[in-house]
Amino acid sequence: MLVPILAALPFSTQFLVDRKTNYYELMMMRSGKYKYLFSMLAVSAFAGFLAIAIPLLINFLLFSLTFPAIHPDPFVYYTQGLFSFKTLFYSLQLNFPLIHTLFYIFLSGIIGSLFAVFSAALCLHIRFSLISLVIPVIISILISGLSELVEVGLSPIDFLDMNATAPVYLWCIALFGILMIMLTFILAIIGVRRLVR
């Protein structure tokens, strides 16, 4: 649930700082408005990916150093509530748990970068950094409520959980990613046109 805020914290609100100091006008004159915007969004996406993926990777490595590596037993996992057959690629988790865990870390990083870029695009329209950090969380919670109604995991809250209660499919992740990219693109194009006026 905290992925949107954690991903957006490193760099997404940098544009608000640039706007307060009028630094963005200098950069837009030097490099052009679209190049400046693209570089802001690219750095925000990279920082959002790293802000989510690196702590998860460190957590996994520390966990691996602490607990023994035992091959998962489906019966024990299911009876103890450690495992859900509704997660993405559950057979991969049972047969190749390391690959499955690394996939989830990568997926979490991608979702983090989507939220970071969306939050950065919101900064083109909103003057307060707290609001641009909270709106992605509200969107994630609303999508999670919708997924409870349709009983399919449509939200990152659902498909980043390895013990998902709602079934998760690849099309859910693709749909979420496409919608976030489209919203970000629309916000960025409208925001840059407003800046130039």
Side-chain angles (χ1 to χ4, degrees):
M1 191 178 279
L2 293 177
V3 165
I5 291 178
L6 296 176
L9 276 177
F11 193 79
S12 293
T13 57
Q14 182 62 38
F15 179 75
L16 295 175
V17 176
D18 291 352
R19 186 189 290 180
K20 286 178 184 174
T21 60
N22 289 331
Y23 180 73
Y24 78 98
E25 292 178 356
L26 175 66
M27 292 307 296
M28 283 177 29
M29 285 190 309
R30 280 191 172 178
S31 61
K33 59 183 178 181
Y34 291 108
K35 188 173 181 183
Y36 169 70
L37 177 68
F38 177 75
S39 65
M40 289 286 289
L41 294 178
V43 171
S44 181
F46 187 67
F49 181 86
L50 293 179
I52 299 301
I54 287 178
L56 288 176
L57 193 59
I58 291 171
N59 184 29
F60 173 67
L61 292 174
L62 292 175
F63 180 83
S64 299
L65 291 172
T66 307
F67 294 98
I70 300 171
H71 196 71
D73 182 7
F75 180 74
V76 173
Y77 267 40
Y78 189 70
T79 56
Q80 297 296 319
L82 303 172
F83 176 75
S84 173
F85 288 102
K86 297 177 181 178
T87 59
L88 195 62
F89 303 131
Y90 65 85
S91 61
L92 189 67
Q93 181 181 4
L94 294 175
N95 297 321
F96 303 101
L98 176 63
I99 295 172
H100 189 260
T101 302
L102 293 176
F103 167 75
Y104 261 88
I105 291 172
F106 180 75
L107 179 64
S108 299
I110 293 294
I111 299 299
S113 67
L114 286 173
F115 275 123
V117 171
F118 180 73
S119 183
L122 278 175
C123 288
L124 294 169
H125 303 275
I126 298 171
R127 293 184 180 262
F128 301 105
S129 60
L130 183 62
I131 295 173
S132 67
L133 294 175
V134 170
I135 287 177
V137 175
I138 294 171
I139 289 173
S140 181
I141 291 171
L142 290 175
I143 295 173
S144 181
L146 176 67
S147 65
E148 290 290 326
L149 290 175
V150 297
E151 296 180 358
V152 175
L154 299 173
S155 170
I157 295 172
D158 300 320
F159 51 72
L160 293 181
D161 186 9
M162 294 175 92
N163 295 323
T165 56
V168 178
Y169 304 104
L170 274 178
W171 66 264
C172 301
I173 298 170
L175 179 68
F176 176 79
I178 290 169
L179 287 176
M180 287 295 286
I181 290 170
M182 286 174 49
L183 281 173
T184 302
F185 184 73
I186 292 168
L187 285 172
I189 295 299
I190 294 171
V192 167
R193 288 181 180 168
R194 282 179 54 201
L195 281 178
V196 175
R197 291 179 188 170

